[in-house]
């Protein structure tokens, strides 16, 4: 859980673009704040403030990142139930506290360091495989950052690295402690077990309408209509601007030349060499090759080491290149002059070169350039919309001026479907749907760009909250789920009774007879192991039992229960020289060092003092934050 919470609180800049910054400070419950503010700042941390705009942007990006991690769109309601609002707010507050500590210590990051870090971020690479300003601008626009605000945030990331990394990188743990952890983690247990199938509990009588209605009422999310939003979307995508893009032959040729190393790959050879002080010695050694000795045997015979030149091109070998590249595989050169020495060179491997001509590469180059220029045009569209609204234009008028299409959808749910279950007339873009449900009703947002390359502006005009479906509409599904739930409860109860009986007898024979199932022999398992038989819950119970003890739990598919008898416990030896032990020592040391930095960060929060404008924070998070 701690590691999971840490992952939530990574810097917004690192999690969006980099994946390389390793700032890991935990998020604590925000019960350590005391009073509510009434101004336009979401929070104050010591002398610093967290503005409404800053937290709005960071929270939006936080939900977007988490949706990508979970591989599903997280709606505002889901975010509230998961407590993501509090996590995101704590993330911002803890960063602010650490920033104050960084400033107090005078830790500085130079502009040159910022430029170097930005140019090394692969998310900002363009079609040529290097840093590209247009790609950089587009990525920032997608996340609502200006160049200045992103650089400021990245500067904070790097300064916090300076503060925290020395502790985390240099921490070591006692070997005895590591051995205890490894003994615990690598313990193996063997079992014999009996499977208690669902049919052993017999048929479940159908529920009455009263019981079924109560069951349906207890699960409103499952048996209610979705939350629908009435929205108008202004959209512009690559398909809207590509027709106006004309790629010239000069542009194609320039792009080809810039990536010449990709399109023209020279032949490479793996070359070895033996050096001699004079030509006569080299010729004498070459005569041994002519006499039938292999290259390595010749080197041993003359007492010379074999030096590997690795994979080289003809140009890498300068004046000797032509002679070496004229040799066949396993060929050995005549004596060659190499500065003040003479050498024999041996070809042990040949990797053929490959040339993609300009004509062959042209379709891919045109596509790359078109995509890049289309994104540049879409940034212009976004800027044009912003300029129009700044001049007083309303949503529709501004969208028209910017050249955006307008699509009205009277009802869309969190899966991007209309009220009849059909797909709505919008691009199939999960990020768009997420923004629709994160937006305020009655307001038009700012332009944003998604991974599909589309630029959007949304205006949410209404919201239809979920409402319970009638009992008749859900009767079949509700009866199925209720029956499955009752079967599971009875099966769990029966398994507990059988486990108690087996604990008294010390074996599974009596249980097997009553269940009508054989006693099976299980594999040796570890604490973290689960398979197509044992569920994680059952494995946990097995490791909680004593040697010879009884444990029970669901099978992996959770349609049966298993009563297991622990027949053996083994602690495999683990030498300190093993890579597993060394890697584990480092990992555990890093985790403990991380806990130390967490304590430091919490102390800074407590010392500096934190206040939160809960009403303003709740507004950004779309309602009750759960605080």
């Amino acid at each position: 859980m701690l590691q999971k919470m840490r992952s939530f609180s990574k810097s917004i800049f690192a999690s969006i673009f980099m994946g390389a910054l390793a700032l890991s400070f935990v998020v604590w419950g925000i019960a350590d704040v005391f009073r509510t503010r009434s101004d336009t700042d979401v929070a104050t941390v010591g002398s610093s403030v967290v503005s409404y705009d800053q937290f709005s942007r960071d929270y939006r990006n936080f939900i977007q990142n988490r949706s990508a991690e979970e591989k599903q769109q997280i709606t505002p309601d889901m975010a509230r139930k998961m407590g993501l609002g509090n996590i995101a707010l704590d993330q911002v507050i803890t960063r602010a506290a650490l920033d104050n500590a960084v400033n107090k210590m005078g830790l500085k990051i130079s502009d040159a360091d910022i430029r170097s870090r930005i140019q090394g971020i692969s998310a900002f690479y363009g079609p040529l495989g290097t840093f590209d300003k247009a790609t950089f601008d587009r990525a920032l626009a997608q996340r609502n950052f200006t160049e200045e605000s992103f650089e400021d945030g990245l500067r904070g990331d790097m300064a916090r690295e300076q503060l925290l990394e020395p502790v985390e990188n240099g921490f070591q743990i006692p070997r005895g402690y590591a051995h205890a952890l490894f003994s615990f983690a690598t313990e193996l247990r063997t079992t014999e077990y009996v499977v208690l199938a669902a049919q052993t509990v017999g048929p479940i009588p159908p529920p009455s309408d009263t019981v079924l209605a109560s069951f349906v009422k207890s699960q409103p999310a499952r048996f209610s209509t979705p939350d629908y939003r009435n929205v108008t979307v202004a959209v512009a995508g690559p398909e809207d601007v590509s027709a106006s893009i004309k790629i010239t032959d000069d542009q194609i040729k320039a792009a080809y030349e810039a990536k010449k190393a990709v399109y023209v790959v020279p032949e490479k050879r793996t070359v070895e060499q033996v050096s001699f002080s004079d030509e006569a010695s080299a010729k004498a050694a070459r005569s041994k090759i002519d006499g039938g000795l292999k290259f390595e045997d010749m080197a041993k015979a003359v007492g010379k080491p074999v030096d590997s030149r690795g994979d080289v091109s003809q140009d890498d070998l300068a004046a000797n290149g032509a002679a070496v590249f004229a040799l066949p595989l396993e060929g050995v050169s005549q004596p060659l002059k190499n500065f003040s020495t003479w050498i024999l060179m041996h070809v042990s491997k040949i990797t053929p070169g490959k040339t993609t001509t300009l004509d062959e590469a042209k379709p891919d180059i045109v596509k790359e350039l078109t995509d890049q220029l289309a994104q540049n045009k879409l940034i212009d569209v976004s800027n044009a919309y912003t300029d129009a609204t700044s001049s007083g234009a309303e949503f529709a008028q501004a969208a028209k001026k910017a050249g955006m299409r307008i699509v009205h959808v009277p009802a869309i749910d969190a899966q991007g479907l209309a009220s009849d279950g059909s797909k709505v007339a919008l691009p199939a873009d999960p990020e768009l749907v997420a923004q629709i449900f994160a937006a305020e009703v009655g307001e038009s947002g700012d332009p944003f760009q998604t991974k599909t390359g589309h630029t959007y502006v949304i205006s949410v005009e209404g919201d239809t909250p979920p409402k319970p479906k009638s009992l008749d509409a859900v009767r079949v599904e509700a009866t199925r789920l209720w029956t499955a739930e009752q079967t599971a409860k009875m099966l769990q109860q029966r398994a507990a009774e059988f486990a108690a009986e087996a604990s008294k007898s010390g074996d599974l024979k009596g249980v097997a007879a009553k269940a009508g199932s054989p006693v099976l022999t299980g594999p040796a398992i570890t604490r973290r192991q689960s398979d197509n038989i044992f569920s994680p819950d059952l494995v946990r119970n097995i490791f909680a039992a004593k040697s010879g003890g009884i444990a029970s739990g669901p099978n992996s598919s959770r349609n049966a229960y298993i009563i297991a008898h622990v027949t053996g416990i083994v602690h495999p030896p683990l030498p300190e020289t093993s890579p597993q032990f060394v890697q584990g020592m480092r990992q555990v040391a890093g985790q403990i060092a991380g806990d130390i930095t967490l304590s430091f960060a919490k102390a800074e929060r407590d010392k500096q003092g934190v206040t939160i404008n809960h009403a303003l924070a709740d507004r950004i998070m779309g309602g009750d934050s759960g605080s």
Side-chain angles (χ1 to χ4, degrees), residues 301-475:
V302 299
K304 296 285 187 179
V306 175
D307 297 322
S308 175
R309 295 292 299 271
D311 289 337
V312 293
S313 65
Q314 182 169 333
D315 290 342
D316 293 332
L317 298 177
N320 292 328
V324 173
F325 272 71
L327 295 171
L329 182 64
E330 300 298 341
V332 179
S333 71
Q334 295 297 325
L336 300 170
K337 188 76 164 100
N338 186 41
F339 300 105
S340 61
T341 63
W342 290 82
I343 59 175
L344 296 179
M345 305 193 81
H346 167 239
V347 178
S348 61
K349 180 182 176 182
I350 298 176
T351 303
K354 180 181 179 182
T355 298
T356 302
T357 66
L358 176 60
D359 287 340
E360 291 171 336
K362 186 174 181 178
D364 289 338
I365 293 175
V366 170
K367 183 179 185 306
E368 287 181 3
L369 291 175
T370 301
D371 290 346
Q372 182 178 355
L373 293 174
Q375 292 306 315
N376 293 342
K377 283 184 173 291
L378 289 173
I379 291 175
D380 293 339
V381 168
S382 178
N383 292 336
Y385 177 90
T386 301
D387 291 343
T389 55
S390 298
S391 300
E394 296 295 331
F395 168 77
Q397 184 182 8
K400 185 177 181 180
K401 285 185 176 181
M404 305 180 78
R405 294 178 282 120
I406 294 180
V407 181
H408 177 69
V409 178
I412 181 174
D413 67 13
Q415 280 67 50
L417 301 177
S419 55
D420 61 359
S422 63
K423 292 184 178 181
V424 298
L426 287 172
D429 193 335
E431 290 181 75
L432 169 62
V433 177
Q435 291 286 8
I436 289 173
F437 279 86
E440 293 285 340
V441 177
E443 295 184 7
S444 299
D446 296 323
F448 63 93
Q449 194 173 48
T450 67
K451 294 176 182 176
T452 66
H454 288 76
T455 294
Y456 303 101
V457 184
I458 57 178
S459 176
V460 180
E461 293 149 12
D463 180 74
T464 303
K467 61 180 180 180
K469 297 178 182 178
S470 68
L471 183 60
D472 285 340
V474 300
R475 182 181 298 277

Side-chain angles (χ1 to χ4, degrees), residues 461-522:
E461 293 149 12
D463 180 74
T464 303
K467 61 180 180 180
K469 297 178 182 178
S470 68
L471 183 60
D472 285 340
V474 300
R475 182 181 298 277
V476 174
E477 177 66 6
T479 299
R480 184 185 68 80
L481 293 173
W482 179 89
T483 302
E485 183 179 285
Q486 297 306 306
T487 300
K489 287 179 179 178
M490 293 185 66
L491 192 60
Q492 183 178 11
Q493 181 180 348
R494 184 70 56 85
E497 293 171 355
F498 281 11
E501 180 180 330
S503 295
K504 291 180 181 179
S505 65
D507 60 46
L508 299 177
K509 294 178 181 178
V511 168
K514 289 185 177 181
S517 299
V519 177
L520 304 172
T521 300

